[in-house]
Amino acid sequence: MLSTYQYPKYEYVAPPEIRSGEPGRYPVVVVGAGPVGLAAAIDLAQSGVPVVVVDDDDTVSVGSRGVCYAKRTLEILDRIGVGDACMARGVSWNVGRTFFREEEVYNFNLLPQPDHKRPGMINLQQYYLEQYLVERARQLPTLDLRFRNKVVSLAPAGSGVTLQVETPDGAYALTADWLIAADGARSAIRRAMNLDSEGRVFLDRFLIADVVMKAEFPAERWFWFDPPFHPGQSVLLHRQADNVYRIDFQLGWQADPEEEKRPEKVIPRIKAMLGADREFELEWVSVYTFQCRRMQQFRHGRVLFVGDAAHQVSPFGARGANSGIQDSDNLCWKLRLVLGGKAPDSLLDSYSEERVFAADENIMNSTRSTDFITPKSRTSLNFRNAVLTLARDHAFARTLVNSGRLSVPSFLTGSRLNTPDDAAFAGDMMPGAPMDDAPMQEDGTDFWLLDRVGDRFMALVHVEDPAAVDAGLAREFRALADAPIPIEAVLVAAKPGRAPEGLRVFLDYRESFAERYDSKPGTVYLIRPDQHVAARWRAFDASRVEAALARATCNNH
């Protein structure tokens, strides 16, 4: 038990299959009610897709576990209805500081640019995130959340997957048209399908200690190399909700995990760091080993792997839960189109392609961080210490400091779903990029762009004056909404004006959109449901927009 958090106990309810004695069939079954599985289930269910989630537990995760949620993840959590709750409880931060021995040698700001709704990162214990996701899931009539339901076997069943599920009332059968495996690093679904997850285990161990204390430390990430209170090793400090501080101590590979978790071993380490007079309470302790691995592909027939079931990374850099939630964000809009018969199931191959690319990017960054944090040779150690020494005074060395490259969204610029540019653009908002936020107004009300974009295809059409849009062009904009896969056309205006009937206007009153998207009157952006850019042009042409939509949904064959 924790002193700062009361664990919920979710009630087991006998599934309808147990009561009726008949097997059930559903469009989507999600195995695993962690952050990634719940995010996927909510995303689908809030658009009307019937989803069943099965989990063998009846509460949220034990201990803080994943604690850092990046800006992109917060934007996804906003779309599934839990962003505000996470922000209200979490500790927001943008600045990280790196120390070598006793001196600061490097710092960074995750959000150097103003005018974004969300910060670069928040710290929030994973059990809070899971609790908020469960509460949101229970608001959705098409989402059936089943606790103490354990999958014990599965088998392909023609156009689906049949599961055998054990409950306190006995076993039942359940068939899914599509199965989302979100059951973690030790995925039972992956094992049952005899699928491997390949990669590298790093020969080092870290101790996590969550301590409750009142301290005036700023809401920043602090990382020490070779500090006097833990010589020859590294330490990380994060502040979380409820005055809980997360401290990670590097232990070395020879450390005995069970021995190191004993309070008699942990408390002296913390006192050496904080000072003998600092009052604190030990909340939770764990020991972990770095691992970087992934499956070869994330789609296997009707089974789709997400999160830690598909890939694992070392925790420094906060790339685990963040990348998993971005998996679900990438997958769900594609699965909706396939379920609705509006796209071929080959669109789901692009889920694997895009997220394998993202996983490789995360693994590369995580591996580099781990190699820098835990050098395994005298030469590597000398190089690292030289970099840290030089970083105090030389900018070139600061670019080499690596205490964990923090989670950022992947730019899917190589995706086959993108339509290549046919004109020159500046900036980062190229096809495949995740959208930048921007402050806007609609009907005189301020809002954030990302709060009104997503869950559908949209064409953002930049105009000088919406009142000057001629009737013929307005008809073409409106016609996009009548296609089998509708596109909502929205005018992004440089100045206020009354739009033609049936069209919305987003007023770029601070010109942030124009700057961040290198946009000017005539520019068109086609946006995917997951807020990634699919295509852009300097002038509107309905046929090019329709072709880009076909390409983005694999309907171009």
Side-chain angles (χ1 to χ4, degrees):
M1 297 297 293
L2 304 181
S3 65
T4 59
Y5 182 75
Q6 184 70 41
Y7 274 88
K9 199 79 166 173
Y10 298 122
E11 181 185 4
Y12 161 76
V13 177
E17 292 80 8
I18 290 284
R19 298 195 296 270
S20 70
E22 298 294 326
R25 180 156 193 147
Y26 301 89
V28 180
V29 173
V30 178
V31 180
V36 179
L38 287 169
I42 292 166
D43 195 338
L44 291 165
Q46 68 184 11
S47 63
V49 176
V51 184
V52 173
V53 180
V54 295
D55 192 278
D56 59 3
D57 202 356
D58 61 359
T59 189
V60 295
S61 63
V62 176
S64 60
R65 297 184 181 271
V67 300
C68 298
Y69 300 99
K71 179 178 180 291
R72 179 67 200 131
T73 300
L74 294 171
E75 292 159 356
I76 297 167
L77 296 176
D78 279 338
R79 293 219 319 280
I80 61 175
V82 299
D84 286 343
C86 292
M87 287 296 302
R89 176 71 67 170
V91 175
S92 299
W93 63 277
N94 291 309
V95 174
R97 302 188 186 278
T98 298
F99 303 87
F100 182 38
R101 298 180 181 133
E102 296 179 282
E103 293 186 61
E104 182 179 335
V105 296
Y106 173 70
N107 63 67
F108 59 82
N109 188 332
L110 293 172
L111 198 65
Q113 188 182 51
D115 288 340
H116 289 262
K117 178 182 179 182
R118 293 310 188 197
M121 198 79 72
I122 68 165
N123 291 345
L124 181 69
Q125 295 90 315
Q126 184 172 319
Y127 43 75
Y128 277 121
L129 174 59
E130 291 185 17
Q131 176 189 325
Y132 300 150
L133 288 166
V134 169
E135 291 167 358
R136 172 65 179 142
R138 288 180 154 177
Q139 296 172 353
L140 299 169
T142 61
L143 201 162
D144 183 359
L145 185 51
R146 303 181 183 182
F147 292 103
R148 298 178 68 191
N149 279 238
K150 181 179 181 179
V151 175
V152 292
S153 68
L154 78 159
S159 59
V161 181
T162 296
L163 308 172
Q164 294 296 320
V165 185
E166 281 187 353
T167 76
D169 291 325
Y172 68 93
L174 181 69
T175 298
D177 294 340
W178 296 93
L179 178 68
I180 298 178
D183 54 342
R186 298 181 179 88
S187 171
I189 301 298
R190 193 179 63 231
R191 288 200 308 272
M193 296 178 70
N194 294 313
L195 297 171
D196 292 327
S197 185
E198 300 170 354
R200 177 180 170 191
V201 176
F202 293 87
L203 300 183
D204 214 322
R205 292 192 171 99
F206 277 74
L207 171 78
I208 297 173
D210 279 358
V211 301
V212 184
M213 63 180 177
K214 291 185 178 178
E216 299 306 315
F217 300 134
E220 298 175 348
R221 178 189 195 260
W222 287 1
F223 193 102
W224 289 266
F225 290 98
D226 193 15
F229 54 82
H230 194 52
Q233 306 279 32
S234 59
V235 178
L236 174 65
L237 175 70
H238 271 294
R239 179 181 164 196
Q240 306 175 83
D242 305 328
N243 291 318
V244 176
Y245 285 79
R246 166 80 163 266
I247 309 173
D248 293 55
F249 292 98
Q250 184 184 358
L251 297 176
W253 182 245
Q254 302 307 320
D256 180 338
E258 294 307 313
E259 177 71 12
E260 295 295 342
K261 286 191 290 187
R262 293 171 52 226
E264 307 91 277
K265 295 281 285 188
V266 177
I267 290 172
R269 294 191 190 281
I270 297 171
K271 285 187 172 181
M273 177 182 181
L274 301 177
D277 296 332
R278 172 76 66 183
E279 292 185 6
F280 65 87
E281 179 183 338
L282 198 57
E283 177 94 333
W284 179 67
V285 177
S286 184
V287 172
Y288 61 85
T289 301
F290 282 178
Q291 297 189 51
C292 287
R293 60 176 72 226
R294 71 162 172 84
M295 301 175 68
Q296 287 296 307
Q297 59 189 50
F298 300 164
R299 178 191 176 186
H300 289 266
R302 293 270 171 160
V303 183
L304 303 149
F305 290 84
V306 294
D308 284 354
H311 49 76
Q312 288 175 268
V313 291
S314 308
F316 287 127
R319 293 173 179 271
N322 286 294
S323 63
I325 290 171
Q326 289 167 42
D327 289 346
S328 73
D329 188 48
N330 185 292
L331 171 62
C332 288
W333 70 269
K334 298 172 180 177
L335 187 52
R336 281 197 299 270
L337 289 176
V338 171
L339 284 165
K342 295 181 178 180
D345 74 11
S346 60
L347 180 60
L348 297 173
D349 293 333
S350 77
Y351 158 70
S352 181
E353 293 160 9
E354 291 183 343
R355 294 310 297 168
V356 163
F357 170 80
D360 284 345
E361 195 171 62
N362 283 322
I363 287 170
M364 176 190 70
N365 280 294
S366 191
T367 298
R368 288 175 177 174
S369 298
T370 305
D371 286 339
F372 193 86
I373 293 167
T374 63
K376 294 300 184 289
S377 70
R378 173 58 59 181
T379 301
S380 296
L381 178 63
N382 288 341
F383 169 78
R384 187 197 75 181
N385 290 349
V387 166
L388 292 168
T389 300
L390 290 166
R392 281 180 285 227
D393 303 309
H394 300 283
F396 82 90
R398 290 173 204 141
T399 64
L400 302 174
V401 174
N402 194 337
S403 62
R405 296 278 189 257
L406 289 163
S407 175
V408 293
S410 289
F411 280 64
L412 306 171
T413 52
S415 173
R416 62 189 169 97
L417 304 189
N418 299 336
T419 295
D421 285 337
D422 62 2
F425 284 85
D428 292 334
M429 293 295 98
M430 68 278 289
M435 292 178 69
D436 268 352
D437 209 354
M440 296 281 194
Q441 287 181 347
E442 185 174 12
D443 298 328
T445 301
D446 289 0
F447 70 94
W448 293 99
L449 176 62
L450 293 184
D451 280 345
R452 301 199 183 177
V453 172
D455 299 323
R456 62 205 183 281
F457 279 94
M458 295 181 74
L460 302 180
V461 184
H462 194 146
V463 298
E464 180 70 26
D465 179 359
V469 175
D470 70 59
L473 198 55
R475 279 195 299 275
E476 289 190 76
F477 293 157
R478 289 192 293 266
L480 294 174
D482 297 326
I485 300 176
I487 302 172
E488 181 184 5
V490 175
L491 306 181
V492 177
K495 64 181 185 181
R498 184 178 179 84
E501 185 178 351
L503 294 177
R504 298 169 68 190
V505 177
F506 292 172
L507 179 62
D508 185 22
Y509 69 102
R510 291 189 192 168
E511 299 183 352
S512 298
F513 182 88
E515 177 188 352
R516 292 171 189 174
Y517 288 75
D518 185 25
S519 186
K520 52 193 176 186
T523 300
V524 181
Y525 273 83
L526 179 64
I527 305 300
R528 298 181 356 175
D530 59 359
Q531 298 176 331
H532 280 250
V533 176
R536 59 184 178 175
W537 305 272
R538 286 301 186 192
F540 177 79
D541 180 321
S543 64
R544 289 195 295 178
V545 174
E546 290 162 1
L549 175 70
R551 183 168 181 152
T553 56
C554 291
N555 281 304
N556 57 336
H557 300 300

